[in-house]
Amino acid sequence: MLDNIQIVKPTEIEKRSMEIITSELGGRTWPEPEFSVVKRCIHTSADFDYADHLVFSENSTKIAMEAIKRGATIVTDTQMAAAGINKKTLAKFGGSVRCFMSDDDVALEAKERGVTRASICMERGAKIEGPVIFAIGNAPTALIRLYEMIQEKTVDPALIIGVPVGFVNVVESKELIMKAGVPYIVARGRKGGSNIAATICNALMYACRE
């Protein structure tokens, strides 16, 4: 029953996975660190569509890596994304992760204003000093609010990772960010998720160590 199971040492599993992904991409490649970002998204999801759907603005990865090295704060729209980011590695660069979604005052303000908590969280993130990377894996309303604040010149993000998953305003919100005039990494279409947002953050951090 176990005849077809490969015995792979724990330390070799990720390496072997990346080799399989590279092989199945059939020779397709990207400049680094974009290639590492693409491969890690595929590794996280087992979904090769990310090879076609991930879009990088010009120099976005370089700009993001410079921000990380300057102690960037990563603001997420879910606790799941925050949990998935390698905070130990980020801390080595002087950075941290913030997610305001569970704050009582955020919920209260959102209810009073008739908006989503994710929108309020983006406003909180905009007030953080220093470089800020917004990693959005769930809420299109977070991307829409970021777009509005960019137009208002009340936020200047180092990078926006726009990978919310779903059906309502997901595609449209990603397209807005691609027109906002700021560095971005976007997964076009409906696919994405908090795990993908965290994966992209980690891939950028790991690239900083190399």
Side-chain angles (χ1 to χ4, degrees):
M1 190 172 181
L2 298 177
D3 291 345
N4 294 325
I5 301 296
Q6 294 180 341
I7 305 302
V8 183
K9 294 180 180 179
T11 54
E12 293 292 316
I13 292 174
E14 182 175 299
K15 178 183 177 182
R16 179 66 182 128
S17 296
M18 292 301 179
E19 290 172 350
I20 292 170
I21 291 167
T22 301
S23 174
E24 293 196 17
L25 282 169
R28 295 181 66 184
T29 188
W30 291 255
E32 288 292 359
E34 284 91 339
F35 196 19
S36 293
V37 172
V38 171
K39 287 191 293 184
R40 286 192 175 276
C41 287
I42 294 171
H43 181 245
T44 293
S45 63
D47 188 344
F48 278 82
D49 282 352
Y50 285 103
D52 297 309
H53 293 175
L54 280 176
V55 184
F56 302 83
S57 65
E58 186 175 1
N59 295 322
S60 59
T61 54
K62 179 181 178 181
I63 292 167
M65 289 168 64
E66 290 173 350
I68 289 169
K69 291 176 181 178
R70 289 190 289 118
T73 302
I74 299 177
V75 174
T76 71
D77 65 329
T78 64
Q79 296 293 350
M80 183 183 295
I85 295 170
N86 190 327
K87 289 172 278 295
K88 185 175 181 180
T89 297
L90 185 59
K92 291 179 180 179
F93 298 104
S96 61
V97 179
R98 298 293 304 275
C99 181
F100 304 97
M101 287 293 288
S102 299
D103 294 2
D104 291 339
D105 58 337
V106 167
L108 180 62
E109 184 175 350
K111 184 176 181 179
E112 290 175 345
R113 290 171 54 184
V115 298
T116 66
R117 287 183 296 158
S119 299
I120 304 299
C121 290
M122 297 304 101
E123 295 175 4
R124 300 288 171 90
K127 296 177 182 178
I128 296 174
E129 295 185 1
V132 178
I133 294 172
F134 291 90
I136 311 305
N138 183 70
T141 55
L143 293 185
I144 293 167
R145 185 64 187 124
L146 283 172
Y147 177 81
E148 291 172 342
M149 289 192 293
I150 291 166
Q151 303 310 302
E152 297 162 358
K153 301 187 184 304
T154 55
V155 66
D156 184 22
L159 175 74
I160 295 178
I161 298 170
V163 293
V165 60
F167 300 95
V168 179
N169 290 329
V170 167
V171 174
E172 294 83 358
S173 66
K174 294 173 180 178
E175 296 297 325
L176 275 179
I177 293 304
M178 294 175 66
K179 300 173 183 176
V182 299
Y184 64 79
I185 300 174
V186 163
R188 262 184 158 153
R190 293 173 170 176
K191 293 184 178 182
S194 296
N195 58 338
I196 296 296
T199 293
I200 294 171
C201 292
N202 290 337
L204 293 170
M205 283 189 284
Y206 300 154
C208 290
R209 301 185 309 190
E210 297 173 357

